Amino acid sequence: MKSRGMDPVLSTVRLTVREAVHTLSSSEDGGCIFSTLGSLKRYLGETENPALPEEQEEFARIHFSTFLRCLVGKLSPDWLELLPDGQLEELWASFFLEGPADQAFLVLMEAIEGAASPSFRLMKMARLLARFLSAGRMAAVMEGQCRQQTEPAFSLLQETLLSKVVGLPDHLGNRLQRENLAGFFPQNYFPLLGEELLQALQVVVESLRGGLDCSVSFLSQVLGKACVHGRQKELLGVLVPRLTALTQGSCLWQRVCWRLVERVPDRAMEAVLTGLVEAASGPEVLSWLLGNLVMKSKKAQFVMTQKLLFLQYRYTTPVLRSLLGYLAMDSQRRPLLIQALKELLETWGSSSAIRRAPLAQQHYISKAILVCLAHLGEAELQDCRDELLASLMAGVQSHLDSSLPSVRRLGMIVAEVASAQIHPEGPPLRFQYEEDELTRELLALATPQPAADSPSEAGPPVAPLTAETPNEEMVSSGGPQAQPEGSDSELDSDDEFVPYDMSGDTELRSSKAPVYVRDCVEALTTSENWERWEATLRALEGLIFRSPAATQEVSVELAKVLLHLEEKTGVAGFEGLRQRALVAVTVTDPVAEYLTTQFYALNYSLRQRMDILDVLTLAAQELSRPGRRQKPPQRGPPGPGPQPGSPATPAWRAVVEERIRSKTRRVSKGSAGQGPAADPNKFNSVAGYFFFPLIQLFDRPLVTFDLLGDDQLVLGRLVHTLGALMYLSVNTMVAVPMGKALLEFVWALRFHGDIYVRQGLLSAVSSVLLSVPAERLLADLPDELLEAQSWLADVAQKDPDEDCRTLAIKALLLLEKLRDKLLPPPPP
Amino acid sequence: MVAPPSPPPPPPDPQFVLRGSRSAVHALHFCGGAQGQGHPLLLSGSLHGLVHIWSLQTRRVLATLDGHAGKCVTWLQTLPPGPQLLSQGRDLRVHVWDLAEGRNAIVDSVCLESVGFCRGSVLACGPQRWMLAMPGKGGDEVQILEMPSKTSVCSLKPEAEARPGMPMCLQLWQADSSPLPLLLAGYEDGSVALWDVSARKVCSRVACHEEPVMGLDFDSQKARGVSGSAEKALAVWSLDEQRALQVHGTHQLTNPGVADVRIRPDRRLLATAGWDHRIRVFHWRTMKPLAVLAFHSAAVHCLAFATDGLLAAGSGDQRISVWSLYPRM
């Protein structure tokens, strides 16, 4: 290695630069400065007589930054106006735009950092930086770093460069504040950076083709850092579509791309991968971009198989599909997919996860399982069948135990699909569930995506069309009798026969229903005549309302019969009929005492216990409805006969009635047109019978019934029922002790693990707040209220279930309102 | 352009209701007043043996005929020449009444030999001459009489191996092409047979129902007929040129039991009387259901169409409802 001092060429360069710096700092003569700068321009090449290559290199390596700093130092309005027409400025700027990009960039950033906040120099430099960016010099900055052989001396420079390149929008935003230029906004800068990155990659690919060695590690770092800064959308939105197109046809591009992602530092890997998975349009794209990255990088494997599947759940189904599809596409990666399926099923089946994980995450995991299953073949599943089946069965069990219908349904769908896949030769599992948007989406996931989209999508709509046309012809020609009759002259007018409403045409029941309530008891218990049994059941509600006195004599007996009634024949709407009859009995002669004791009695099924709760709620609702005497419930179609007020005529009736009213002077009927008369709340006298027996015994387990143990579904219903009873006993005397008891009950159960129970507790708190008068709440239950408030605040923040959080917030709002009511704002 | 389907209109109400027969109505017949006295009449036969003559103008009973010894009147038919009425009762008699000029006297009677529910049928053969088909003796025969001479023309006895059971309903008719009288008979075993009366042989027989045929009507112009039985279906059958009956299709009903079927004289509507208290109306050509008339509170026993399209239905609830549906345009 030769020393610089001894090389005559290099000392010439140093001398020229020193002279130029001197001239710049002392001279006020525009022409002189111009010619000095022009002489230095030779070292940048691109003039008619460029300097020798060694000189150029020496200038770029040693003197360029110093010289640029000197140029920055001279920048002032007077100095630029030494020559007319901005000649000097143009020449000045050309050094930044044409010289070695990395140094120019660093000096620019440094100058911007150093300039006084709102100043001429700052704005000039910022505009110059904008020009620098729009001239595509950022690509040159990055290219330069790719060509560098990684020497330890450079790593510091690279580090600085990296933070400046990625942090440019932040720096500029801080410096320029409101004067910031549009080009420096992150939403504009990062897409540009993406373009430049691509440009740099292009150069890398070109030079690799030319046999030159190159390193993409700086590009990887830029990519990683930008993604860590949360700019995946802007950067990858530009990068991924272009890379998709480029990698599709070229192995070299694929290799460069794989390398690019591989070299991303571990701490940025997650950000880059999540961005890529989201931006990629399918598993193939992901495969082109990433290669077998998951096999090479532990971090990448962790992100792809753990983080994206188990720890996060915000990704859409297509993202999930391309992620798992990527794992399935290569034989090396397939073991990972099987492993992922095992773990997914394990998580899916864990009862604690079902209880604690948010519903959205359970959906996500179920979706992932279905996608995995669609990708895996029978042979692969065979190997780990027992393991999978074990976790599946445990999972189905715990899902079906859940008290949330949507969780149960998830269990059913996954169980159906998974059992069919894992155990195809076994009897197919079938559940009954309602179809909706979500179930259809899930079931659609279970069918493997066709490899090529376009032909299969174009296929189905065409096929049925061609298949149907001959069918139609066959039908019309197959009915020859239609033609001869068609020649009838009546044809045209026949179409005007508009059918009447035939909805009343139901099956006729010949059997006579009993006429007395007392007979119903006998008919329901002993009758072997099923038609009579059914007719009795149908007539019972009306009978009870018509003859309350007769009902009171047999009410408990009737309630007992109804409660134990089983559906022996396929009577349509049996449950509803039985429930309505029970409600009618309970309303007519409150047998609540009987029902509430039966709730805690032995030898009832869960179904019956829940029926008791439903009946109590409905009866309480009916009893507390004001003006219920005026409107006895009318059910079933109105009897046959002429109906003058048929639905077609209300308009004219209204008109006629209005006219009559306006022309008639009423003397006696003063209150004819008013609403329902005020009526004492019938629930007032019996609310205690409904409520207290239910709340007393919940913590005493029976042989067959353990509310605090396995029967949490019933507990949830019980809590909801108590809340409803509390709400319905508004304006009753007993509301205050009820509220107290209910708050204590809530306090005892507040950390219950089941979501449905917690939801009930929260709504119970709300109904206490609504039903108990505010003054009494404050006077009698201040401690309970405070405790409840802190619990509510806790739930509102931390509960995993969204509905629970919402309910807690609602209850908190009610508390707020309560406080506002008691402490009215001071008058201004 | 297809207009959005509007909700169907609510079922219609009867035009009027005739009350006062004081027992279940089992027979109805419109007596076209156009050529007669000018007043359209409705004749009804009751369970207790009375025949009421209703004026459709005043909607009151004009006269009551008592000739069946308190036994149910099952069939009423006016004869084409002049105001003569045939009434069949369960007292095993068919009376011929003279109703001209306010008279109401029995002028003739025929004895029946079968106690079944089968209604008779008449066919005019010439001026003052008509043919009467009645259930005959032996349980499975149909007797054909020449009236008014009451001479027995023949007795149509099914072949021994056929065993169709009793005849349940009869309809005499003549094809347009030939003057030979033909008889359609519905039997107890659910089959419908076409008899050539002059040749005394069955032209064709087809099993339409599982249960006894309760009523049939035939549209000679379209060579298509319909029958109802105790079961939950109507059968539509047709007759081809070779006089062969074939079942065309069945039409399911909501409730079992059809007491009577009638095709409107303009052959556009079909009405059925249901044991389920309802009258059902169909478009006769397409068998499209048009209306279910739920007015009566007991089984509907009989139906009659007037020549102007009025429909009357008699029911076990002692009322006669009169309907005007889809009036002719």
Side-chain angles (χ1 to χ4, degrees):
Chain A
M1 188 145 194
K2 49 196 171 181
S3 150
R4 265 179 290 154
M6 288 152 74
D7 196 322
V9 175
L10 304 186
S11 55
T12 347
V13 175
R14 189 162 61 221
L15 247 138
T16 327
V17 171
R18 191 176 293 161
E19 268 172 34
V21 170
H22 182 74
T23 320
L24 277 177
S25 52
S26 57
S27 172
E28 295 289 319
D29 175 12
C32 174
I33 292 171
F34 192 79
S35 64
T36 316
L37 289 180
S39 70
L40 278 184
K41 197 92 196 277
R42 286 175 55 238
Y43 292 119
L44 299 181
E46 297 166 28
T47 45
E48 352 11 305
N49 53 341
L52 300 171
E54 303 93 67
E55 286 179 341
Q56 281 188 28
E57 194 191 329
E58 175 70 11
F59 177 71
R61 214 158 62 106
I62 311 281
H63 307 289
F64 187 59
S65 304
T66 334
F67 176 67
L68 284 183
R69 283 195 191 99
C70 172
L71 281 182
V72 170
K74 287 311 292 175
L75 187 63
S76 71
D78 301 339
W79 189 78
L80 286 180
E81 275 160 25
L82 289 176
L83 279 183
D85 301 336
Q87 288 174 23
L88 200 54
E89 186 176 356
E90 201 47 45
L91 190 63
W92 171 81
S94 68
F95 278 94
F96 289 92
L97 297 178
E98 289 161 22
D102 47 351
Q103 294 183 47
F105 178 67
L106 283 177
V107 171
L108 269 174
M109 291 303 286
E110 189 186 295
I112 288 169
E113 296 275 294
S117 189
S119 68
F120 172 79
R121 177 179 294 178
L122 180 62
M123 286 319 292
K124 270 282 175 245
M125 299 309 294
R127 293 230 172 74
L128 183 59
L129 182 60
R131 269 182 79 187
F132 183 86
L133 290 181
S134 58
R137 295 298 286 166
M138 197 52 98
V141 172
M142 290 190 276
E143 274 166 43
Q145 298 309 309
C146 295
R147 281 206 211 87
Q148 307 273 0
Q149 297 309 308
T150 41
E151 290 171 38
F154 282 106
S155 67
L156 195 65
L157 175 74
Q158 272 197 349
E159 199 66 32
T160 323
L161 203 53
L162 180 66
S163 72
K164 299 271 193 242
V165 167
V166 177
L168 183 136
D170 300 342
H171 288 298
L172 269 292
N174 279 339
R175 293 303 297 157
L176 297 175
Q177 305 280 349
R178 289 166 182 277
E179 316 282 293
N180 204 354
L181 304 179
F184 302 139
F185 292 164
Q187 64 267 37
N188 298 331
Y189 174 72
F190 284 101
L192 178 93
L193 189 63
E195 294 283 350
E196 305 289 72
L197 204 66
L198 213 67
Q199 210 63 50
L201 278 175
Q202 182 81 48
V203 172
V204 169
V205 170
E206 291 304 325
S207 52
L208 284 177
R209 281 214 181 100
L212 281 171
D213 237 6
C214 260
S215 151
V216 290
S217 92
F218 183 73
L219 300 183
S220 303
Q221 287 183 29
V222 170
L223 180 65
K225 197 156 177 115
C227 287
V228 165
H229 282 209
R231 296 298 167 188
Q232 288 111 320
K233 269 215 180 72
E234 288 94 345
L235 189 63
L236 296 175
V238 173
L239 213 51
V240 170
R242 298 281 304 276
L243 280 178
T244 306
L246 290 167
T247 48
Q248 189 170 5
S250 157
C251 283
L252 188 59
W253 264 104
Q254 285 187 12
R255 291 230 316 276
V256 169
C257 202
W258 298 351
R259 190 86 184 137
L260 176 72
V261 189
E262 245 170 72
R263 295 302 298 256
V264 169
D266 272 359
R267 64 178 187 286
M269 190 58 99
E270 183 188 342
V272 173
L273 282 180
T274 51
L276 279 176
V277 171
E278 274 187 293
S281 57
E284 305 84 14
V285 175
L286 216 49
S287 196
W288 295 330
L289 295 183
L290 299 181
N292 270 340
L293 178 71
V294 279
M295 309 306 297
K296 293 176 200 154
S297 156
K298 277 266 171 278
K299 176 78 181 178
Q301 188 177 349
F302 173 75
V303 169
M304 295 291 263
T305 60
Q306 301 288 325
K307 198 125 193 185
L308 290 184
L309 291 180
F310 295 100
L311 301 176
Q312 300 187 338
Y313 54 91
R314 66 185 169 90
Y315 302 104
T316 58
T317 315
V319 171
L320 201 52
R321 264 203 160 132
S322 50
L323 168 65
L324 293 167
Y326 160 75
L327 291 181
M329 274 186 84
D330 191 280
S331 57
Q332 285 188 334
R333 299 192 291 256
R334 273 185 98 87
L336 285 181
L337 186 68
I338 295 170
Q339 185 59 33
L341 175 63
K342 278 186 206 164
E343 288 173 21
L344 277 170
L345 263 179
E346 207 170 301
T347 313
W348 182 81
S350 126
S351 61
S352 122
I354 292 169
R355 234 174 302 133
R356 301 208 169 75
L359 197 58
Q361 183 168 22
Q362 299 191 30
H363 277 159
Y364 186 77
I365 288 186
S366 305
K367 276 192 224 164
I369 290 175
L370 295 182
V371 176
C372 279
L373 284 171
H375 281 298
L376 286 171
E378 204 176 306
E380 286 162 300
L381 291 170
Q382 210 63 35
D383 297 337
C384 48
R385 188 164 115 179
D386 294 336
E387 200 178 331
L388 292 178
L389 267 184
S391 22
L392 177 70
M393 286 310 148
V396 173
Q397 180 71 36
S398 10
H399 272 88
L400 293 183
D401 279 347
S402 167
S403 45
L404 296 181
S406 46
V407 174
R408 288 202 293 272
R409 200 161 46 176
L410 265 188
M412 295 177 197
I413 296 169
V414 174
E416 272 184 15
V417 176
S419 67
Q421 287 261 341
I422 298 172
H423 200 261
E425 62 271 27
L429 215 50
R430 275 261 154 266
F431 292 99
Q432 288 181 334
Y433 47 84
E434 282 169 33
E435 284 234 335
D436 65 355
E437 195 85 356
L438 188 75
T439 56
R440 275 192 289 276
E441 192 199 340
L442 285 174
L443 290 176
L445 284 180
T447 51
Q449 288 283 81
D453 286 310
S454 42
S456 67
E457 269 171 26
V462 179
L465 272 183
T466 50
E468 251 164 54
T469 4
N471 261 357
E472 276 167 22
E473 280 165 14
M474 197 192 71
V475 166
S476 56
S477 62
Q481 67 275 15
Q483 254 76 20
E485 283 177 34
S487 58
D488 233 319
S489 60
E490 305 163 354
L491 254 187
D492 305 339
S493 56
D494 280 1
D495 294 335
E496 291 164 27
F497 284 3
V498 181
Y500 289 101
D501 180 19
M502 282 173 285
S503 55
D505 188 19
T506 51
E507 290 202 12
L508 191 77
R509 293 170 204 286
S510 53
S511 179
K512 285 245 173 68
V515 187
Y516 299 106
V517 176
R518 194 173 282 280
D519 295 346
C520 294
V521 179
E522 186 234 315
L524 288 177
T525 45
T526 60
S527 180
E528 289 300 311
N529 178 351
W530 295 123
E531 287 201 350
R532 184 173 155 83
W533 186 83
E534 190 182 331
T536 309
L537 197 59
R538 286 185 192 282
L540 192 52
E541 190 195 5
L543 272 182
I544 293 170
F545 277 123
R546 245 174 282 139
S547 48
T551 308
Q552 277 163 12
E553 293 169 17
V554 290
S555 57
V556 173
E557 204 180 335
L558 193 56
K560 194 185 290 178
V561 168
L562 284 170
L563 195 57
H564 288 92
L565 206 59
E566 279 172 25
E567 186 175 9
K568 293 174 187 160
T569 54
V571 179
F574 168 80
E575 287 299 329
L577 285 170
R578 184 172 76 130
Q579 190 180 54
R580 286 213 296 273
L582 257 176
V583 170
V585 176
T586 320
V587 168
T588 315
D589 176 41
V591 286
E593 237 179 320
Y594 169 73
L595 289 177
T596 47
T597 50
Q598 294 308 298
F599 180 73
Y600 286 110
L602 281 170
N603 298 333
Y604 277 96
S605 69
L606 297 187
R607 179 73 251 165
Q608 281 168 320
R609 292 183 208 272
M610 291 202 276
D611 282 345
I612 292 177
L613 293 176
D614 289 346
V615 166
L616 287 174
T617 314
L618 288 171
Q621 193 175 10
E622 182 67 26
L623 281 170
S624 65
R625 188 157 61 88
R628 64 183 194 87
R629 303 248 154 200
Q630 274 78 11
K631 277 192 275 172
Q634 278 282 329
R635 286 199 178 85
Q643 297 153 10
S646 55
T649 54
W652 66 261
R653 274 187 85 81
V655 172
V656 168
E657 275 170 13
E658 178 57 38
R659 207 171 286 163
I660 290 172
R661 201 174 305 138
S662 65
K663 303 229 168 121
T664 314
R665 187 171 298 159
R666 287 178 196 273
V667 183
S668 57
K669 288 186 180 175
S671 62
Q674 285 174 13
D679 202 20
N681 186 346
K682 297 276 286 177
F683 191 48
N684 184 18
S685 50
V686 290
Y689 291 118
F690 279 72
F691 185 81
F692 289 109
L694 278 186
I695 207 170
Q696 271 167 5
L697 299 167
F698 73 96
D699 49 356
R700 277 169 229 172
L702 298 174
V703 184
T704 54
F705 184 47
D706 182 10
L707 272 182
L708 295 183
D710 289 340
D711 299 323
Q712 53 192 14
L713 178 62
V714 185
L715 181 65
R717 292 290 275 272
L718 172 66
V719 178
H720 278 93
T721 304
L722 290 173
L725 291 177
M726 183 73 235
Y727 177 70
L728 291 170
S729 56
V730 65
N731 301 332
T732 60
M733 305 286 290
V734 77
V736 179
M738 273 169 79
K740 196 172 168 65
L742 191 54
L743 280 183
E744 277 166 13
F745 173 78
V746 169
W747 188 244
L749 286 176
R750 67 193 185 283
F751 293 127
H752 199 277
D754 190 74
I755 294 171
Y756 186 63
V757 173
R758 283 205 305 275
Q759 286 175 355
L761 294 174
L762 290 163
S763 57
V765 172
S766 292
S767 48
V768 169
L769 295 176
L770 285 170
S771 287
V772 182
E775 299 78 25
R776 300 299 304 276
L777 265 181
L778 260 272
D780 295 5
L781 315 164
D783 297 341
E784 283 89 344
L785 274 190
L786 277 180
E787 282 168 344
Q789 188 182 12
S790 62
W791 172 61
L792 287 174
D794 199 45
V795 172
Q797 283 185 354
K798 294 184 189 155
D799 200 280
D801 185 65
E802 199 181 329
D803 289 341
C804 281
R805 291 197 296 269
T806 323
L807 283 170
I809 288 168
K810 280 182 187 160
L812 280 175
L813 280 177
L814 282 175
L815 263 176
E816 284 288 302
K817 268 171 88 179
L818 206 65
R819 201 168 56 197
D820 293 350
K821 213 195 289 178
L822 288 177
L823 307 169
Chain B
M1 273 253 296
V2 178
S6 55
D13 296 326
Q15 201 175 37
F16 54 88
V17 180
L18 302 176
R19 292 178 177 82
S21 77
R22 297 215 200 95
S23 61
V25 180
H26 278 263
L28 281 174
H29 182 71
F30 276 102
C31 178
Q35 79 273 28
Q37 296 96 326
H39 297 306
L41 301 174
L42 176 64
L43 307 166
S44 74
S46 76
L47 181 67
H48 289 164
L50 298 182
V51 174
H52 297 280
I53 303 174
W54 306 81
S55 162
L56 293 182
Q57 211 170 29
T58 62
R59 299 172 191 176
R60 294 283 185 280
V61 176
L62 290 179
T64 306
L65 314 179
D66 182 3
H68 285 283
K71 296 289 175 60
C72 178
V73 178
T74 57
W75 179 54
L76 292 169
Q77 173 76 46
T78 47
L79 294 174
Q84 275 193 316
L85 170 71
L86 276 180
S87 72
Q88 178 188 358
R90 306 250 4 243
D91 59 345
L92 302 186
R93 284 183 193 279
V94 177
H95 292 310
V96 184
W97 302 78
D98 181 9
L99 302 181
E101 296 160 355
R103 287 189 292 267
N104 42 26
I106 300 173
V107 292
D108 205 349
S109 286
V110 182
C111 280
L112 284 169
E113 289 174 72
S114 161
V115 289
F117 293 88
C118 183
R119 293 166 178 166
S121 176
V122 285
L123 180 70
C125 300
Q128 300 295 331
R129 248 166 38 99
W130 29 277
M131 189 182 273
L132 170 65
M134 298 188 309
K137 60 174 182 290
D140 58 354
E141 286 180 21
V142 178
Q143 199 181 7
I144 308 288
L145 296 177
E146 171 97 10
M147 295 295 276
S149 64
K150 298 203 276 181
T151 45
S152 173
V153 176
C154 60
S155 182
L156 306 177
K157 187 176 168 59
E159 287 157 37
E161 66 270 22
R163 293 185 190 281
M166 283 196 289
M168 302 297 289
C169 45
L170 304 171
Q171 179 153 6
L172 278 170
W173 61 285
Q174 252 171 331
D176 293 340
S177 48
S178 80
L180 292 177
L182 298 167
L183 174 75
L184 278 165
Y187 284 97
E188 200 179 352
D189 69 344
S191 63
V192 172
L194 176 70
W195 289 86
D196 184 337
V197 175
S198 41
R200 297 172 200 184
K201 68 175 174 64
V202 178
C203 300
S204 165
R205 206 166 84 111
V206 63
C208 297
H209 302 279
E210 303 283 313
E211 301 279 334
V213 181
M214 301 306 294
L216 63 81
D217 203 355
F218 186 70
D219 171 3
S220 58
Q221 193 168 338
K222 288 183 182 136
R224 216 157 69 97
V226 59
S227 59
S229 81
E231 63 191 14
K232 271 171 96 166
L234 290 175
V236 179
W237 27 267
S238 62
L239 190 62
D240 62 13
E241 282 80 23
Q242 284 79 41
R243 288 185 183 172
L245 287 169
Q246 52 191 209
V247 176
H248 211 288
T250 58
H251 190 88
Q252 293 299 316
L253 305 176
T254 316
N255 291 305
V258 176
D260 202 0
V261 294
R262 283 283 161 252
I263 300 169
R264 196 161 83 175
D266 65 355
R267 298 183 309 278
R268 289 167 71 181
L269 287 189
L270 165 72
T272 68
W275 293 356
D276 62 351
H277 319 171
R278 291 171 201 155
I279 304 159
R280 289 186 166 71
V281 180
F282 297 87
H283 187 241
W284 169 230
R285 184 166 57 80
T286 58
M287 285 305 284
K288 177 170 110 175
L290 292 177
V292 176
L293 308 173
F295 168 76
H296 289 286
S297 54
V300 183
H301 294 307
C302 51
L303 292 171
F305 272 114
T307 41
D308 63 353
L310 218 53
L311 169 67
S315 156
D317 65 1
Q318 311 186 356
R319 294 183 292 181
I320 301 165
S321 56
V322 182
W323 309 76
S324 174
L325 299 171
Y326 304 104
R328 282 189 241 180
M329 281 151 282

